[in-house]
Amino acid sequence: ERGPGAAYHMFVLMEDLLDKLKLLSYEEEALRRHNMRPLSRCPWPAGGWRRRKASVHYFALPTNPGEQFFMFCTLAAWLITKAGHPFEQPQEYDDPNAIISNVLSELRSFGRPVDFPPSKLKAGYGEQACYVLDCLAEEALKHTGFSWKRPAYPTEELEEEEITEDDAELMLNELEEDVVEEESDNEDHFIDLNVLKAQTYGSDMNDSAKQEEILQSTTDAAEWNLEVERVLPQLKVTVRTDNKDWRIHVDQMHQHKDGIESSLKETRGYLDKLHNEISRTLEKINSREKYINSQLEHLVQEYRSAQALLSEAKEKYQEGSGGVTERIRLLSEITELLERVKQETEEKGSSMTDGAPLVKIKQALTKLKQETIQMDIQIGVMEHTLLQSKLKEKSNMTRDMHATMIPEATVGAY
């Protein structure tokens, strides 16, 4: 059964089809040649989102069935030709049924299944139309040698996360990066120890060069304390530690070794106990197996002897079954021969006792007699007709002779 999202499958097919048509340059090769509008143009005077919607929904939703069917036939013919099969470009006055049957036959020649009636394509839109065009576009891409490649994703440098162990241990590289970042962030607010030493050394040199002019302070103690409290957060001194020092690695190794030894002390007792239990269980299994073998030895011997007798009986059965099979084959041949002889005997007996040939002969004789009578009648009619014609011809000749002789006699008399 189709799921609830099957109704929207045609939109997915149409979107894939549009991308494949753009890869095949359908606008330059197919549409401009026939002065047709590209699929991305929208019938509404609206913005880009409606153009995208119209391009995706062109063969999915009905807008103008006649235009959609002609567009479907044009693109199908172009894609079939693009796939290497010559196909005549359909015209507007051609029979739609003939065009659809030709397109579907070409689609089947590509090895694509067609499990829907051809009438589904007459409207020029729908899931079947999108399916046909999508399959033809794939075949055209295969014929042109196009192949989809894996996307090349840009490499991104991932920031290393801080990994803390017991809220005290840090990875050496991450600790160094954190210290550098902290120094760069608080560069304006904190004082580096080396810089402080350099400044102190420089100030000492300057003070030694000058005379000691100020011997006592004139600053108020309360104001001094307030100033100290104000600048105290900014007097943080950062100490840069060398995280690549071998001593840190040695300390970590000692810590891991102590952890392993403490864990081993706890688990060794459990492992020894498990080993002892498994050993005792294996000993019990071996003893039980020996006892069962000793108790069932005579049954095993009986079973072996019965197995030998069974094998001998099977051999005898195979020999006997071979003879039976041969005899059954001979019996079937004899039975077939007997049936054939019976059939021939029945046919000869039925032909000897059957009066059908005699009846046919009588019918033929009766028919011949009737035909003979008809022929005699026709002969008599023909003879009578011939006699009448001869008599008529004789009378005509006699009349002609008398007509020629009488005028001569009259002329001689005068």
Side-chain angles (χ1 to χ4, degrees):
E1 295 181 359
R2 305 181 69 184
Y8 303 96
H9 182 61
M10 66 180 75
F11 300 104
V12 180
L13 283 177
M14 184 59 206
E15 189 170 0
D16 294 340
L17 171 63
L18 186 62
D19 295 336
K20 294 172 185 176
L21 291 176
K22 288 181 178 178
L23 291 174
L24 292 170
S25 303
Y26 78 105
E27 294 181 355
E28 293 79 7
E29 298 183 9
L31 300 185
R32 289 183 182 176
R33 186 179 299 175
H34 299 87
N35 296 325
M36 301 177 69
R37 296 181 302 174
L39 299 181
S40 59
R41 295 186 64 181
C42 178
W44 306 293
W49 68 272
R50 286 192 176 179
R51 290 193 183 94
R52 180 63 178 170
K53 181 178 179 182
S55 63
V56 174
H57 296 177
Y58 187 81
F59 289 113
L61 296 177
T63 55
N64 189 352
E67 180 183 353
Q68 286 176 308
F69 180 74
F70 184 68
M71 177 72 79
F72 167 78
C73 296
T74 303
L75 289 178
W78 175 72
L79 290 173
I80 292 170
T81 307
K82 195 79 173 176
H85 293 190
F87 194 85
E88 186 179 357
Q89 187 66 34
Q91 304 297 328
E92 294 183 0
Y93 50 83
D94 291 342
D95 186 12
N97 296 322
I99 297 173
I100 292 172
S101 63
N102 294 333
V103 170
L104 292 180
S105 63
E106 292 292 337
L107 186 63
R108 292 189 186 95
S109 67
F110 288 117
R112 299 284 183 163
V114 180
D115 53 355
F116 54 86
S119 60
K120 294 288 186 180
L121 300 177
K122 279 190 176 181
Y125 65 90
E127 185 176 358
Q128 290 79 13
C130 296
Y131 168 75
V132 172
L133 291 177
D134 186 67
C135 294
L136 294 177
E138 288 183 359
E139 296 297 332
L141 289 174
K142 289 180 183 178
H143 184 73
T144 55
F146 178 81
S147 61
W148 299 97
K149 298 180 180 180
R150 291 183 174 273
Y153 298 103
T155 56
E156 297 181 358
E157 297 180 357
L158 300 177
E159 298 181 356
E160 297 181 355
E161 298 179 356
E162 296 182 359
I163 302 175
T164 59
E165 296 179 1
D166 297 335
D167 298 330
E169 296 180 359
L170 297 175
M171 296 300 291
L172 301 179
N173 296 330
E174 294 177 356
L175 182 59
E176 184 176 1
E177 290 176 1
D178 293 339
V179 171
V180 173
E181 290 177 0
E182 187 176 359
E183 289 176 357
S184 62
D185 293 338
N186 301 329
E187 186 177 2
D188 297 334
H189 303 285
F190 302 110
I191 301 173
D192 193 358
L193 184 60
N194 296 327
V195 178
L196 184 62
K197 288 181 180 180
Q199 291 178 357
T200 306
Y201 179 75
S203 62
D204 292 339
M205 293 296 292
N206 294 328
D207 291 341
S208 61
K210 293 181 180 179
Q211 296 180 356
E212 296 182 358
E213 298 177 356
I214 301 174
L215 299 178
Q216 61 181 2
S217 177
T218 58
T219 306
D220 189 5
E223 294 179 359
W224 180 266
N225 290 329
L226 291 174
E227 184 67 20
V228 170
E229 290 178 359
R230 187 180 66 82
V231 300
L232 184 61
Q234 300 179 5
L235 296 178
K236 182 180 179 181
V237 179
T238 59
V239 179
R240 181 177 297 176
T241 58
D242 189 4
N243 295 317
K244 296 183 180 180
D245 192 3
W246 60 272
R247 295 180 181 83
I248 297 175
H249 295 282
V250 172
D251 293 337
Q252 291 180 356
M253 290 170 64
H254 285 300
Q255 291 176 2
H256 293 315
K257 180 181 178 182
D258 295 337
I260 291 171
E261 289 177 354
S262 61
S263 300
L264 183 60
K265 289 178 181 178
E266 294 178 359
T267 57
R268 181 173 292 175
Y270 297 107
L271 293 175
D272 293 337
K273 184 177 179 181
L274 183 61
H275 175 70
N276 296 330
E277 291 179 356
I278 293 173
S279 300
R280 288 196 298 269
T281 305
L282 289 175
E283 290 177 358
K284 289 180 181 179
I285 292 172
N286 290 328
S287 62
R288 290 288 182 183
E289 184 178 359
K290 291 178 181 179
Y291 175 75
I292 291 171
N293 291 332
S294 62
Q295 293 293 325
L296 300 178
E297 185 66 27
H298 63 284
L299 296 176
V300 172
Q301 294 295 334
E302 292 178 0
Y303 174 74
R304 290 175 182 173
S305 61
Q307 193 74 19
L309 293 174
L310 179 62
S311 61
E312 292 178 0
K314 284 183 178 180
E315 291 178 359
K316 292 180 180 180
Y317 172 74
Q318 289 177 358
E319 293 177 359
S321 63
V324 172
T325 305
E326 183 66 22
R327 288 175 176 80
I328 289 172
R329 186 181 63 80
L330 292 174
L331 177 61
S332 63
E333 291 179 357
I334 294 170
T335 305
E336 185 178 356
L337 181 61
L338 180 61
E339 291 292 335
R340 188 163 57 251
V341 171
K342 285 182 179 180
Q343 186 176 1
E344 291 177 356
T345 305
E346 289 177 357
E347 289 178 357
K348 287 182 180 179
S350 62
S351 62
M352 291 174 65
T353 58
D354 191 8
L358 183 60
V359 174
K360 291 181 180 178
I361 292 171
K362 289 182 178 180
Q363 291 177 357
L365 290 174
T366 305
K367 189 175 181 180
L368 285 173
K369 288 180 180 180
Q370 293 176 357
E371 290 179 356
T372 303
I373 292 170
Q374 291 178 0
M375 290 294 293
D376 292 338
I377 293 171
Q378 290 178 2
I379 290 170
V381 171
M382 291 296 294
E383 289 178 352
H384 179 72
T385 305
L386 182 61
L387 180 61
Q388 291 291 331
S389 62
K390 285 182 178 181
L391 292 174
K392 186 175 181 180
E393 184 179 358
K394 187 176 180 180
S395 62
N396 292 332
M397 289 176 65
T398 303
R399 187 179 66 247
D400 293 337
M401 288 175 65
H402 285 291
T404 54
M405 289 177 66
I406 291 173
E408 290 180 358
T410 55
V411 171
Y414 288 112

